[in-house]
Amino acid sequence: MKRFASLMVAAAALSFTTVHAADDVIRLGNLRFAHYGAVSYLKELGPKCGIKVEERMFAKGLDIMPAIIAGEVDVAASAADAAIAGRAAGVPIYAVAGFAKGGARIVVGKDSGIKSVAQFKGKKVGVARGGAQELLLFAELAKFNLTWSDQPGKDVQIVYMPFADLNQALMQKQIDAMAQSEPQASQAINKNWGIELLKPYDTPMGEPIRTLVMTEKLYANKPLAEKFMKCFVQATKTFMDDPKKAEDYVRFTMFKNQITADDFQDAIGNSPYAYELSVDHIQITTDLMAKYGVGKMAKPPVAKDWVKLDLLTAAKQSLGVK
């Protein structure tokens, strides 16, 4: 009987340990871009923070939202507009931090002769649907009173394609210009496939802030949410303080040596790591999305209702990070 009781105690302890360990697993949805590197580094730093981070890569931010709804992702990194569109569609997420800013360029074909966005009239411009670049491109076109559509008949024909295909399309002159992310934009310039026209940060949105979102379920689990956020701040600070570590991790771990040192330096020069996010930035981005029909939101979410920055503030304070 005593032996049976001992076995029961041991089984209960094992069960508790298993449950506890499972609770400390964070499933991360991420994208393969240079400025998403510190978020990816969380899986390396996680054990030191007392968590296990399981990373899953997606093609673009909007693709992560169904995985969140299915309960397969707890935290995700994306452009703000993907997060906003997800929230508008009922995805149970909170925006809890920023992790990078900028990260976009409008690049024209090297032989296109285009010197201004005004000259996009009659041209084909490539962009990935559902990324920050799409919204930035539309805001730039609107400044010059240009109309656009993915069908012929407007001033500018938008050609939607994955980020990975845009450079090839520009090189082969299938498109005249592109709104591209980093490091792909820097690669196109360094390989002499294209020329930078501008960094599209002169719209009401300013520099887009890439957004870290967390499920409402994880946010409600305060001990685990706080542990994760501290780890995020540490990972980001590590990349800010040690640029060589950041470069090596992005170039060799994330991109398997497919980008050069110059590609990385140019990319991060245009998309520095960050922590900060603001309610105002998310609201301005939401308003622009509604204005230009990005995300096709029936009811745009109000930023103050779902931007929750308390975890970030507490984590920075506890770690002495300014």
Side-chain angles (χ1 to χ4, degrees), residues 250-303:
V250 171
R251 288 184 60 208
F252 303 121
T253 301
M254 288 184 72
F255 282 90
K256 311 300 182 187
N257 204 23
Q258 293 174 341
I259 63 173
T260 67
D262 285 344
D263 292 338
F264 175 81
Q265 293 298 336
D266 291 346
I268 292 302
N270 184 33
S271 55
Y273 301 111
Y275 314 102
E276 301 309 325
L277 184 66
S278 71
V279 173
D280 285 347
H281 182 77
I282 294 297
Q283 189 59 57
I284 289 169
T285 305
T286 304
D287 294 342
L288 287 174
M289 289 175 65
K291 181 177 181 179
Y292 300 131
V294 173
K296 296 179 173 61
M297 301 179 293
K299 185 179 180 182
V302 177

Side-chain angles (χ1 to χ4, degrees), residues 13-29:
L14 180 60
S15 174
F16 175 80
T17 301
T18 302
V19 171
H20 179 72
D23 285 348
D24 286 348
V25 172
I26 303 291
R27 296 163 303 170
L28 169 67

Side-chain angles (χ1 to χ4, degrees), residues 199-245:
K199 297 178 180 71
Y201 308 147
D202 56 350
T203 75
M205 187 166 58
E207 287 188 275
I209 298 175
R210 299 307 194 275
T211 305
L212 192 71
V213 300
M214 178 181 290
T215 64
E216 293 180 5
K217 181 178 179 181
L218 176 56
Y219 180 84
N221 183 349
K222 287 299 184 192
L224 185 55
E226 289 169 355
K227 191 184 293 187
F228 173 84
M229 188 56 70
K230 284 183 181 179
C231 204
F232 162 74
V233 170
Q234 287 177 280
T236 304
K237 189 173 190 303
T238 297
F239 273 32
M240 288 178 169
D241 293 347
D242 192 342
K244 186 66 169 64
K245 180 186 284 289

Side-chain angles (χ1 to χ4, degrees), residues 68-214:
I68 294 175
I69 293 173
E72 298 168 356
V73 169
D74 306 303
V75 179
S78 75
D81 49 309
I84 292 164
R87 179 74 186 188
V91 182
I93 51 173
Y94 291 135
V96 295
F99 62 87
K101 57 186 179 179
R105 297 180 202 258
I106 293 181
V107 179
V108 299
K110 66 173 183 176
D111 300 321
S112 68
I114 297 171
K115 305 295 183 184
S116 164
V117 172
Q119 294 177 289
F120 280 2
K121 189 169 184 177
K123 305 297 185 182
K124 292 182 179 180
V125 182
V127 69
R129 191 188 296 274
Q133 293 72 24
E134 182 186 21
L135 183 57
L136 290 165
L137 173 61
F138 293 170
E140 289 290 345
L141 294 176
K143 283 176 58 180
F144 292 90
N145 298 313
L146 294 171
T147 60
W148 64 87
S149 173
D150 60 351
Q151 300 297 319
K154 299 294 185 180
D155 292 334
V156 180
Q157 184 172 346
I158 303 299
V159 181
Y160 287 110
M161 60 181 66
F163 291 105
D165 296 340
L166 286 168
N167 284 8
Q168 191 79 3
L170 188 72
M171 182 185 70
Q172 295 177 352
K173 300 183 180 180
Q174 296 169 356
I175 55 176
D176 302 292
M178 64 180 182
Q180 179 63 296
S181 188
E182 297 288 6
Q184 289 88 347
S186 291
Q187 277 186 307
I189 295 164
N190 291 337
K191 290 181 181 294
N192 199 32
W193 297 336
I195 300 166
E196 178 183 314
L197 182 66
L198 78 159
K199 297 178 180 71
Y201 308 147
D202 56 350
T203 75
M205 187 166 58
E207 287 188 275
I209 298 175
R210 299 307 194 275
T211 305
L212 192 71
V213 300
M214 178 181 290

